[in-house]
């Protein structure tokens, strides 16, 4: 129990330091006010009511506006359409730099929780659009996701963009390590192109 309380105290000091500093300062001012019979804080003509209160009112308005704007921004961001770019990287014989051998750009994404499963499905369809191979051989602990960025395109407006990178440990049979398959909107099998890398 003592270890838990010590850990909570460390966490509190680390994350709530301004509050922990403000509490003793407020206590000192309250004690001084009591000692000077209210002339600092509590009397009607006190130093606080003449000079500090107007600034406190302005600061309260600014903080309220900032909180409102922050919540509106978060709601707007959560309401944006979501897009996913999936990259499949491979390193020939485990030597040299990883190269992107398959890429799907800005596919539709229903929920950010579907990133990994949708990425695997996209990879299967990129390998063989007619009969997707469900057995892509990738290094599961090396799946990387980037942060969610807000992007804008003229034809689609603003959207949340997520990138996921799969590292293949075996190249699919019909894929050449010197090429990259790219899949773009509107995502039919005719929209898959191959470029040399």
């Amino acid at each position: 129990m003592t270890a838990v309380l010590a850990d909570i105290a460390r966490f509190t000091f680390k994350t709530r330091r301004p509050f922990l500093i403000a509490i003793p300062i407020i206590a000192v001012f309250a004690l001084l006010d009591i000692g000077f019979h209210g002339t600092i804080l509590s009397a009607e003509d006190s130093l606080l009511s003449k000079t500090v209160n107007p600034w406190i009112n302005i600061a309260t308005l600014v903080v309220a506006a900032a909180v409102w704007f922050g919540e509106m921004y978060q709601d707007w961001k959560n309401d944006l359409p979501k897009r996913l770019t999936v990259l499949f990287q491979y390193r020939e014989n485990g030597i040299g730099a990883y190269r992107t051998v398959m890429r799907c750009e800005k596919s539709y994404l229903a929920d950010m929780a579907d990133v990994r499963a949708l990425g695997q499905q996209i990879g299967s369809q990129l390998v063989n659009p007619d009969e997707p191979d469900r057995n892509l051989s990738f290094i599961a602990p090396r799946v990387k996701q980037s942060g969610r960025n807000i992007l804008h395109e003229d034809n689609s407006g603003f959207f949340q963009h997520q990138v996921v990178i799969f590292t293949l440990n075996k190249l699919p049979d019909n894929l050449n390590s010197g090429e990259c398959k790219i899949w773009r909107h509107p995502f039919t099998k005719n929209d898959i192109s191959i470029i040399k890398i």
Side-chain angles (χ1 to χ4, degrees), residues 108-158:
Y108 297 103
L109 178 63
D111 191 312
M112 289 296 183
D114 297 335
V115 167
R116 189 176 179 130
L118 181 59
Q120 291 172 338
Q121 176 67 30
I122 286 171
S124 318
Q125 291 182 10
L126 264 168
V127 170
N128 187 351
D130 295 319
E131 287 184 42
D133 178 12
R134 306 288 181 223
N135 298 316
L136 280 177
S137 182
F138 63 93
I139 304 168
R142 286 202 57 169
V143 175
K144 294 185 241 175
Q145 287 181 242
S146 72
R148 300 173 194 160
N149 299 321
I150 305 290
L151 299 180
H152 181 269
E153 289 183 345
D154 291 337
N155 59 345
S156 61
F158 287 98

Side-chain angles (χ1 to χ4, degrees), residues 9-79:
R10 271 192 301 276
F11 174 79
T12 303
F13 187 73
K14 181 179 174 185
T15 60
R16 306 291 192 273
R17 188 175 301 184
F19 295 108
L20 295 177
I21 293 170
I23 290 171
I25 292 172
I26 291 170
V28 166
F29 273 108
L31 290 173
L32 284 173
D33 190 50
I34 291 169
F36 286 101
H37 306 290
T39 57
I40 296 174
L41 298 175
S42 52
E44 254 184 67
D45 61 343
S46 69
L47 179 65
L48 176 71
S49 63
K50 288 181 182 176
T51 58
V52 179
N53 268 350
W55 291 106
I56 289 175
N57 292 339
I58 291 170
T60 301
L61 181 63
V62 168
V63 168
V67 168
W68 177 81
F69 179 76
E71 287 183 8
M72 286 302 297
Y73 174 75
Q74 193 63 40
D75 291 345
W76 171 78
K77 187 175 161 183
N78 292 338
D79 193 50

